[in-house]
Amino acid sequence: MTENKKVVLSLVQPTGDLTIGNYLGAIQNFIKLQEKYECYIGIADLHSITVPQVPAELRRRTKSVLATYMALGLDPEKVALFVQSHNLDHLKLYWVLNTISYMGQLSRMTQFKEKSEKNEENKNAALFTYPVLMAADILVYNADFVPVGIDQKQHLELTRDLAIRFNSRYSDTFKIPEPIINESTRKIMSLKNPEKKMSKSDEDKSASIFLLDDPKSVKKKIMSAVTDSFMNFAYTEDQPGLKNLIDIHCSFSGESPESIVERYKGRGYGEFKKELAEVVSTFIEEFQEKYNEILKDDDRLEKILEEGLQKSLRKTRRMMDKVYRKVGFLQLGK
Ligand code: TYM
């Protein structure tokens, strides 16, 4: 990895099996960006315990996310793949950034409001400061670009504010990172409620397509996806269910929405859904073949995480030295 390349950083939480929303909204961009930039792609296990997890499941899912990254096309030769809790520099910067994070701004974060409203137990201090840890994840690598779905945009804005605040208090230290968000896949919607994001933690499993779903059930989910009763095949915000399905088709097939509308104009939604079911289930079948193969070699997965950690430490140690010096911590031997 050369020094002057721009830096890309992003993480995914191992809180459930990943969905096509995670792939189309974020991971697809990681794969494109790995060709050109210095990339650090992590698994956010620290974030995941802000809601209760079953420990053995969490360990299993952490490896599963790694195998998913690789089966989708992330190349460990090009990208540092790491587990967030393995690199303590994230937590060191998190603490420092907490000292310049304001309670008012944190309480306006929509994800905190949504998650903490679900139940009282979720209202813990770590969930409240979750976006500060996310800012630390990004700034400790001095990242230029952060590929994410639109739901993370507010957290990116907080990250930029914290970088600017730190720079003005302690002198220029961090670059101000930019989000990279795909216009058509910024928010893949639930198959059951097109007003809601498709989510790996949705209790209604028929609302999300998981990358590890059985291909037959993928077809069923698509065939029973909620659309509308207009009987008008069009690509418009007024028909969000159908629009979501067209967006999914386009991002897997590479076809444009106009061309799909042209082909299906005057025909029922059912025929289109059948084609989409075929496109997505074929992708999923091919993905799973690679995933299962990768998962068999546990030693290799551990080695990749160890190498990823070393690459990530090489980057973050220098930044933490700088930050500790700027805030005034005594560093022995320096
Ligand atoms: P997480 O684990 O919820 O989601 C991982 C990535 O997938 C995107 N995404 C979607 N994009 C489009 N449509 C959807 N339905 C959809 N669902 C999820 C998310 O926007 C995200 O990019 N806080 C982050 C993890 C994180 C992180 C970071 C990200 C921790 N530290 C530093 C970037 C930089 C999260 O919970 O993502």
Side-chain angles (χ1 to χ4, degrees):
M1 288 185 186
T2 53
E3 272 313 302
N4 49 11
K5 271 191 185 173
K6 298 260 188 202
V7 175
V8 170
L9 174 287
S10 200
L11 285 80
V12 172
Q13 285 193 76
T15 41
D17 290 331
L18 302 197
T19 70
I20 59 166
N22 298 123
Y23 172 54
L24 300 176
I27 302 172
Q28 211 172 36
N29 267 337
F30 307 169
I31 295 160
K32 282 189 203 139
L33 295 165
Q34 72 179 338
E35 302 304 334
K36 205 165 152 205
Y37 299 112
E38 181 180 327
C39 293
Y40 298 87
I41 302 295
I43 304 169
D45 56 349
L46 294 171
H47 277 111
S48 76
I49 62 165
T50 54
V51 297
Q53 302 292 328
V54 178
E57 262 299 283
L58 179 57
R59 266 187 289 274
R60 183 192 66 75
R61 288 218 197 94
T62 301
K63 282 231 173 102
S64 167
V65 174
L66 174 64
T68 301
Y69 278 160
M70 289 164 60
L72 289 172
L74 278 179
D75 178 353
E77 297 288 321
K78 295 181 182 151
V79 181
L81 298 170
F82 66 94
V83 175
Q84 187 188 28
S85 66
H86 293 176
N87 182 342
L88 292 180
D89 290 334
H90 291 240
L91 288 170
K92 292 184 187 167
L93 185 58
Y94 164 66
W95 182 253
V96 174
L97 294 180
N98 264 314
T99 66
I100 56 165
S101 299
Y102 302 136
M103 306 278 281
Q105 190 173 17
L106 293 182
S107 60
R108 285 193 296 278
M109 295 289 125
T110 51
Q111 239 181 38
F112 171 73
K113 284 197 240 166
E114 278 167 23
K115 285 190 186 169
S116 61
E117 271 162 15
K118 276 195 194 149
N119 72 48
E120 196 53 33
E121 202 185 329
N122 281 358
K123 264 188 205 154
N124 60 69
L127 185 67
F128 189 67
T129 55
Y130 173 122
V132 184
L133 178 59
M134 185 163 155
D137 294 338
I138 297 167
L139 299 180
V140 80
Y141 292 84
N142 216 11
D144 296 273
F145 301 123
V146 186
V148 282
I150 196 83
D151 61 320
Q152 298 301 320
K153 191 160 181 243
Q154 196 187 28
H155 293 158
L156 250 295
E157 276 155 16
L158 175 86
T159 305
R160 291 164 59 89
D161 286 351
L162 290 177
I164 292 167
R165 200 172 297 152
F166 187 97
N167 288 351
S168 76
R169 187 171 299 182
Y170 295 106
S171 82
D172 226 15
T173 309
F174 299 117
K175 287 189 265 188
I176 314 303
E178 301 272 350
I180 294 189
I181 298 176
N182 259 0
E183 194 38 47
S184 62
T185 55
R186 64 220 275 262
K187 194 173 184 184
I188 299 295
M189 307 311 265
S190 151
L191 298 181
K192 290 296 168 197
N193 176 1
E195 308 291 321
K196 233 177 73 180
K197 180 187 87 160
M198 181 182 286
S199 161
K200 52 175 132 70
S201 47
D202 199 322
E203 271 156 33
D204 180 359
K205 296 296 170 212
S206 66
S208 309
I209 299 177
F210 296 94
L211 292 168
L212 292 174
D213 269 344
D214 159 28
K216 274 197 205 115
S217 85
V218 170
K219 286 188 184 166
K220 256 193 233 147
K221 287 181 183 183
I222 292 175
M223 293 312 292
S224 60
V226 169
T227 45
D228 56 68
S229 50
F230 298 158
M231 301 300 280
N232 168 41
F233 199 95
Y235 181 73
T236 149
E237 299 290 347
D238 301 335
Q239 292 172 255
L242 184 59
K243 178 175 181 293
N244 187 41
L245 296 182
I246 297 176
D247 281 333
I248 294 173
H249 190 306
C250 294
S251 38
F252 279 110
S253 65
E255 196 173 344
S256 69
E258 296 73 32
S259 153
I260 291 179
V261 170
E262 190 56 41
R263 285 201 292 120
Y264 278 95
K265 216 148 188 77
R267 292 158 70 186
Y269 300 165
E271 283 178 70
F272 167 67
K273 281 181 170 176
K274 231 187 220 165
E275 181 181 308
L276 177 64
E278 210 44 57
V279 169
V280 180
S281 63
T282 304
F283 175 87
I284 290 218
E285 230 171 288
E286 287 169 8
F287 159 77
Q288 289 177 5
E289 226 172 272
K290 292 183 215 148
Y291 170 87
N292 289 325
E293 205 43 49
I294 291 169
L295 209 56
K296 274 188 205 153
D297 194 348
D298 196 54
D299 289 349
R300 176 167 175 242
L301 291 178
E302 297 239 337
K303 197 163 158 256
I304 286 167
L305 289 180
E306 180 56 42
E307 283 168 7
L309 172 63
Q310 294 312 326
K311 280 190 217 164
S312 95
L313 282 170
R314 275 201 290 281
K315 186 80 182 171
T316 62
R317 268 196 194 128
R318 229 173 319 145
M319 178 53 95
M320 275 324 293
D321 264 4
K322 202 170 177 185
V323 169
Y324 271 15
R325 187 163 28 84
K326 292 209 180 188
V327 299
F329 291 162
L330 177 69
Q331 291 168 293
L332 296 176
K334 284 184 184 158

